[in-house]
Amino acid sequence: MKNTGKQRPLKQSDTISFSASEIALDDETMSLLKSRNPKFLETLFVEVNPYLLRVCLSNSIRDEKADEVIHQTWETFFLNLEKFEGRAQIRTYICGILFNKIREFRREQGRTVYREDSEEMFEQAFGSDGWWKRVPQSPHRILELRQATDLIEECLDGLSEQQKTAFVMKEVEDENSDEICNVLGVNVTHLRVLLFRAKDKLRMCLEGKVSAEYE
Amino acid sequence: MSDAVNFGERLKHYWHEVYYFFFRRCKDVAELIDLGEEPATLMGRIRYRLHIAFCKACRNYLNLTQVLREVIRETLRKSIDPARIDQLNQKLLQKLSKRDKS
């Protein structure tokens, strides 16, 4: 939030408008967060919660479970407010907390948190001369599925948490690579592998669904 | 016959050299597509765009990225009911905010 010179305490009647993806941490923002000003929080929730819900949904966490995970995420955020140094945007910082909550949730559910993304896997897709080993085909058939929400969600289910979160943050939410690396705790090379693998799995799954549906 | 093969191999070798110099390799282009970035330098951007223009496989990969983005974005946005977001926001607000008494 930009500093506008002389400051006065914010009242409930004040209108606050900002974009959580652009918000910078300054004294004013920090004091609004610490005082848990209702107007400020409302604006923050309106900006950030749809994003958090999309990340939950892409990780197959729906309805009450999603609400529960998001509640825990915000509680953790406010409990650890002092640790937030403003190096990341608020939205991505909270998404980092959410990602850890999703992993905890999955562990409690007994679902495997697997790692299958290595640089080697990316290298194997190309020959020694840097050309594709298996040439990507035109994706026009996938577009036939755009109304089939259930099928697309099924395909998203087949991705690991890291792949889903990387894909949603990069492609759906347009986050920059450095922010995503911070959230997932990976380096750029690993992020690239995650995105490559996510697209490869989605493509295979969706093409399979098109064949099953229309042939 | 073997001269013809050698000539063909040599031609292929030189063609690759020229190709890589001007157009980059598919692997490098795929990396840029995955990270949604274009090279920082003008020459880099020219080589990237030339590669995309001439390489059908990379063009397909770029299209695949765009199609997946569009389809998943639409699905996720459609799946979330705005009324549910409001409900969640209100619950959070009740639980986490401190009322302003001034």
Side-chain angles (χ1 to χ4, degrees), chain A residues 95-106:
Chain A
C95 189
I97 301 174
L98 177 71
F99 179 67
N100 287 327
K101 294 284 169 202
I102 290 173
R103 300 202 102 180
E104 279 170 26
F105 175 78
R106 290 230 157 196

Side-chain angles (χ1 to χ4, degrees), chain A residues 129-142:
Chain A
D129 54 1
W131 294 71
W132 293 94
K133 267 190 194 164
R134 198 185 63 214
V135 174
Q137 299 301 307
S138 168
H140 68 276
R141 299 184 73 203
I142 292 173

Side-chain angles (χ1 to χ4, degrees), chain B:
Chain B
M1 186 68 186
S2 80
D3 277 355
V5 172
N6 284 342
F7 178 73
E9 283 301 310
R10 206 177 298 166
L11 197 65
K12 194 174 161 192
H13 172 77
Y14 287 130
W15 164 241
H16 274 199
E17 290 294 311
V18 172
Y19 191 92
Y20 291 150
F21 178 77
F22 284 108
F23 302 118
R24 306 183 73 117
R25 298 180 312 162
C26 295
K27 194 177 154 195
D28 303 328
V29 170
E31 281 182 26
L32 291 167
I33 294 173
D34 285 337
L35 295 175
E37 289 164 4
E38 281 205 7
T41 62
L42 179 66
M43 191 57 199
R45 281 198 294 279
I46 291 171
R47 288 170 72 198
Y48 170 77
R49 287 182 193 177
L50 276 174
H51 185 109
I52 294 286
F54 284 92
C55 175
K56 195 177 176 195
C58 286
R59 217 164 43 244
N60 281 345
Y61 189 63
L62 180 65
N63 287 340
L64 171 75
T65 303
Q66 287 163 347
V67 165
L68 287 177
R69 176 188 303 153
E70 206 178 308
V71 168
I72 305 288
R73 190 178 282 188
E74 212 176 293
T75 302
L76 291 179
R77 302 227 155 137
K78 233 174 17 190
S79 307
I80 299 171
D81 177 13
R84 221 181 79 68
I85 300 176
D86 283 346
Q87 213 179 358
L88 171 68
N89 290 345
Q90 287 312 313
K91 274 190 205 163
L92 280 168
L93 208 55
Q94 274 177 358
K95 195 170 177 185
L96 296 171
S97 75
K98 289 176 185 164
R99 295 283 151 194
D100 192 350
K101 293 192 176 83
S102 53

Side-chain angles (χ1 to χ4, degrees), chain A residues 142-209:
Chain A
I142 292 173
L143 277 173
E144 295 170 27
L145 275 181
R146 60 190 312 164
Q147 299 304 322
T149 309
D150 291 351
L151 297 182
I152 293 165
E153 283 178 9
E154 269 176 40
C155 287
L156 270 172
D157 255 356
L159 271 59
S160 70
E161 289 90 3
Q162 275 196 326
Q163 289 166 351
K164 283 176 210 174
T165 311
F167 183 81
V168 170
M169 289 184 78
K170 185 78 201 171
E171 302 298 347
V172 180
E173 307 295 345
D174 288 328
E175 295 288 0
N176 76 47
S177 304
D178 293 340
E179 298 273 0
I180 305 171
C181 288
N182 278 338
V183 167
L184 300 178
V186 297
N187 58 28
V188 178
T189 308
H190 193 186
L191 173 66
R192 196 195 62 217
V193 175
L194 286 171
L195 291 166
F196 183 81
R197 187 82 180 117
K199 281 188 258 185
D200 197 41
K201 277 179 159 182
L202 282 171
R203 180 190 56 76
M204 282 195 288
C205 177
L206 290 170
E207 281 178 355
K209 301 277 183 202

